[in-house]
Amino acid sequence: MDHDTKRRVTAADVAKLAGVSRSAVSRAFTQGAYLAPDKRKLIEKAAQELGYRPNALAAGLQGRRSNLVAIFVGEMANEYDKEVAAKLIAGLNSAGKWPIVIGGSGQSAR
């Protein structure tokens, strides 16, 4: 298997394909940041073609909100617990949040 097939698509990859700067890609995915509409279209097309998704952790390092939400699920002893967790995760996703699910059992859960 080729090494590049497992590599995460980066903003630099999108910039190269779209023929724009790396900072233009960042602005395209930053709410409220100015970017010429034609440049934004190029970037969005390249991002879609490559399967690019902005990195929430990297965005958080720039002082913005990361939108990460940690959820501790414990042992999930029954189907109801699993269903509630799945609905919570789906709701967070639809609200633009990035849930991090942490499991545990026994003493570590306590």
Side-chain angles (χ1 to χ4, degrees), residues 31-54:
Q31 191 171 17
Y34 173 76
L35 187 64
D38 58 331
K39 201 174 268 194
R40 185 178 304 274
K41 262 187 171 173
L42 277 173
I43 292 167
E44 289 172 350
K45 182 178 184 228
Q48 184 174 15
E49 191 174 313
L50 293 172
Y52 173 74
R53 288 182 12 180

Side-chain angles (χ1 to χ4, degrees), residues 21-75:
S21 69
R22 165 64 186 81
S23 63
V25 173
S26 179
R27 287 192 310 275
F29 291 96
T30 301
Q31 191 171 17
Y34 173 76
L35 187 64
D38 58 331
K39 201 174 268 194
R40 185 178 304 274
K41 262 187 171 173
L42 277 173
I43 292 167
E44 289 172 350
K45 182 178 184 228
Q48 184 174 15
E49 191 174 313
L50 293 172
Y52 173 74
R53 288 182 12 180
N55 184 320
L57 291 174
L61 293 174
Q62 294 177 348
R64 298 180 303 184
R65 294 182 187 268
S66 68
N67 287 317
L68 295 171
V69 178
I71 304 167
F72 181 76
V73 294
E75 292 183 24

